[in-house]
Amino acid sequence: MATESVTIKDIAKLLGISKSTVSRALSEHSDVNQETRRRVLEIAQKLNYQPNVLALNLKQQRTHTLGVIIPETVNRFFAKAIGGIQKIANLAGYHVMICQSDESYVAERKNLQGLLASRVDGILVSVSSETDRTDHFDMLLQKNVPLVFFDRILEDVKASQVYTDNYEISFEGTEHLISQGCKRIAIVAGPQNLYNSRNRLMGYIDALKKHNLPVKDNYIIHSYFRGGNVEEYTRHLINLPQRPDAIFAINDYAAIEMMHVIKKNGLRVPDDIAILGFNNEAICRFVEPALSSIDHSAFDMGTAAAEILLNKIETGNLEPERRMIKSRLVIRESTHVRSV
Amino acid sequence: MATESVTIKDIAKLLGISKSTVSRALSEHSDVNQETRRRVLEIAQKLNYQPNVLALNLKQQRTHTLGVIIPETVNRFFAKAIGGIQKIANLAGYHVMICQSDESYVAERKNLQGLLASRVDGILVSVSSETDRTDHFDMLLQKNVPLVFFDRILEDVKASQVYTDNYEISFEGTEHLISQGCKRIAIVAGPQNLYNSRNRLMGYIDALKKHNLPVKDNYIIHSYFRGGNVEEYTRHLINLPQRPDAIFAINDYAAIEMMHVIKKNGLRVPDDIAILGFNNEAICRFVEPALSSIDHSAFDMGTAAAEILLNKIETGNLEPERRMIKSRLVIRESTHVRSV
DNA sequence: GTGAAAGCGCTAACAA
DNA sequence: TTGTTAGCGCTTTCAC
């Protein structure tokens, strides 16, 4: 497509010297006659010489490109993580290739193969909610491709992991609801093949137990992330004979929709039912009542994951590394039930 | 990094034939002895041969990769557009490389150079709000790199464009507000170097004129997209001696924050001030009052843009093409002032 | 139908 | 300090 670009060969011919001298002159760190280098640089500048990355890639068998697989770009959490990844990658002179699994194992697997075929130098993954196998990642490790999981990690795979303290923050969130006087706390947890979801559920259960509250199965909803059924399970919860007095939601958007459904059904938030979200989106502050949530720095997760990956790539040390990014409870009106 | 992969050379050696024959056997459409092909295919399969894309790229001087430059991935509109782009690209066997300009001209320019250096086969762009020059794109066209603008287009650049009917929908939205009895309609328009923003403003102005309503400068706010100043300009508007009775917002998130500020100041939406958003996010249905908005299919814009770009790449025909994706007014409670 | 050789643009080991 | 040569993995003429 692009019109023919100048190559070192052109420069060499013009100057009556050899390609290798040009190559050397262009690469700062080899000794070339000062004058020769000056002339090469001058003419390269004049012709607007751009090294052909494709040739370099082939020669060096690397692309200075990171592959990223996330469930969805429309999920703001991942959109923010991408920001963090790109920042670090670009600073280090790397490009980023993003794929979406659409929460599907098959697509995730296909993305992986695509990235591998593109010969990316390393891969960052946040697994799909459907993924309950590790075979595709095992294959990657076998090929010694640097791999880092972030947020949605797979604990059984011997790769680096950047994650948040789901258990602890879920415990804390649940205790906060209890401290507000709530006794019938429901949770909308994610699919149980996800490490994060399991830990959140465990944090919730342990907090209830600590305070001698019963753990009831019908207060536990296993939702998938794609939405669509929020109204359904919210209705289910509020029509329970023992209606919950608090719901710990899977994310802020679901929480906001739940508040809507609850209010539509003549109940009040937080007085009848307190709501706690997850992710602390900007919009939490603008809905009514303002939504309590869990702040969870997606951007920092992205930067941490990219840093670890780049380090693996540049040092060749594939030793797994774990890094935890703390979450933080942000209390607003939606869980402010009564002064205790 | 990755352990050495099998090459056609390996297969050739194993079979005692030449590289070229293996290459031919692998590429469906050249005549090789049936038996030879069978044996090549068999062993390729067994060794899990994967052609080295890097070599192909160099040989063919193309990468089967599309470059995309958008302002921000956290902007859901662009996140959705990416989805559309990736769908079409992947179907056609292309990868996608995404860059963010962060609404900065300098970053946009840098992204462009990066993509060019990566030798992408074509580029899709939604320009930054800061971009008021076209030099970087002119340079691209000069190099015959296929280029398609989508949503945030630059009318002066001779490239293909996928856009929406900003003028018409803004006219329609403003008329809708007028039909609700609003007479003092304010608008939060984007930066005026953006074609979209200018058209939206023109649609608004023309609708006012058509209905003999005065166009007042202090009802026109020029906001940038990054948010942060919503509270400020909302306060400014509601403290005007002649307080507006409707505001046409730049997007739904700004609209929701505006509603929040308005209510916090003891005014009612829509009774005191009607609010019309832009983008028709899912959340519009769940805020109170439900937010009227403009539906605007980001995904379709993405697919259209990718289709046009791929067509350019594959046919080599760089003739500019324009495609319009219609928007649609979605009326909800936030603009339902009084029965007329 | 198949092989030998050249070449995509670059780097690097080896010579001079 | 510079040139020659080979090679990254593949395709594609040109012979045979």
Side-chain angles (χ1 to χ4, degrees), chain B residues 208-219:
Chain B
L208 292 185
K209 284 187 178 161
K210 176 178 165 194
H211 293 271
N212 297 313
L213 291 170
V215 176
K216 299 173 76 173
D217 268 358
N218 54 10
Y219 283 174

Side-chain angles (χ1 to χ4, degrees), chain A residues 71 101-105 108 126-132 152 190-194 197 223-226:
Chain A
S101 64
D102 290 320
E103 303 286 12
S104 139
Y105 162 79
E108 181 176 280
S126 208
V127 299
S128 93
S129 56
E130 206 186 282
T131 300
D132 52 5
R152 303 237 205 120
Q192 288 305 292
N193 50 306
L194 283 185
S197 305
S223 159
Y224 292 80
F225 290 91
R226 317 275 325 239

Side-chain angles (χ1 to χ4, degrees), chain B residues 185-206:
Chain B
I185 302 171
I187 186 169
V188 181
Q192 289 305 290
N193 50 306
L194 283 186
Y195 180 74
N196 291 0
S197 305
R198 285 200 305 275
N199 278 331
R200 288 194 201 166
L201 186 59
M202 274 163 48
Y204 156 86
I205 291 175
D206 287 356

Side-chain angles (χ1 to χ4, degrees), chain B residues 102-117:
Chain B
D102 290 319
E103 303 286 11
S104 141
Y105 163 79
V106 174
E108 181 174 280
R109 203 192 158 93
K110 221 169 135 190
N111 287 335
L112 216 48
Q113 271 152 356
L115 291 176
L116 221 49

Side-chain angles (χ1 to χ4, degrees), chain A residues 142-308:
Chain A
Q142 216 174 298
K143 295 199 182 213
N144 284 319
V145 178
L147 172 64
V148 178
F149 289 103
F150 67 100
D151 189 50
R152 303 237 205 120
I153 66 178
L154 239 33
E155 49 177 343
D156 297 337
V157 178
K158 279 210 172 352
S160 292
Q161 302 170 336
V162 177
Y163 60 102
T164 190
D165 49 344
N166 281 287
Y167 174 88
E168 290 78 4
I169 199 67
S170 176
F171 190 98
E172 188 180 338
T174 308
E175 271 203 317
H176 162 65
L177 291 169
I178 295 170
S179 79
Q180 297 298 298
C182 300
K183 297 202 174 336
R184 301 182 306 279
I185 302 172
I187 186 169
V188 181
Q192 288 305 292
N193 50 306
L194 283 185
Y195 180 75
N196 291 1
S197 305
R198 284 201 305 275
N199 278 332
R200 288 194 201 166
L201 186 59
M202 274 163 47
Y204 156 86
I205 290 175
D206 287 356
L208 292 186
K209 284 186 179 161
K210 175 179 168 197
H211 294 270
N212 298 313
L213 290 171
V215 176
K216 299 172 75 173
D217 267 358
N218 54 10
Y219 282 174
I220 300 175
I221 305 278
H222 291 297
S223 159
Y224 292 80
F225 290 91
R226 317 275 325 239
N229 55 347
V230 176
E231 171 143 14
E232 190 184 315
Y233 64 66
T234 308
R235 276 182 196 288
H236 165 78
L237 284 174
I238 61 184
N239 288 326
L240 244 31
Q242 291 255 13
R243 192 180 66 214
D245 55 11
I247 307 178
F248 196 166
I250 194 165
N251 65 46
D252 293 331
Y253 289 99
I256 292 170
E257 187 170 350
M258 291 176 83
M259 294 206 296
H260 175 74
V261 175
I262 289 168
K263 289 188 279 186
K264 215 169 58 181
N265 281 268
L267 297 167
R268 294 159 306 163
V269 178
D271 307 78
D272 294 314
I273 305 183
I275 301 284
L276 176 53
F278 212 110
N279 281 352
N280 198 29
E281 304 278 358
I283 194 130
C284 292
R285 295 187 291 132
F286 307 129
V287 292
E288 263 145 51
L291 181 64
S292 297
S293 193
I294 308 290
D295 190 65
H296 186 193
S297 180
F299 192 88
D300 293 347
M301 280 212 164
T303 57
E307 279 165 8
I308 293 176

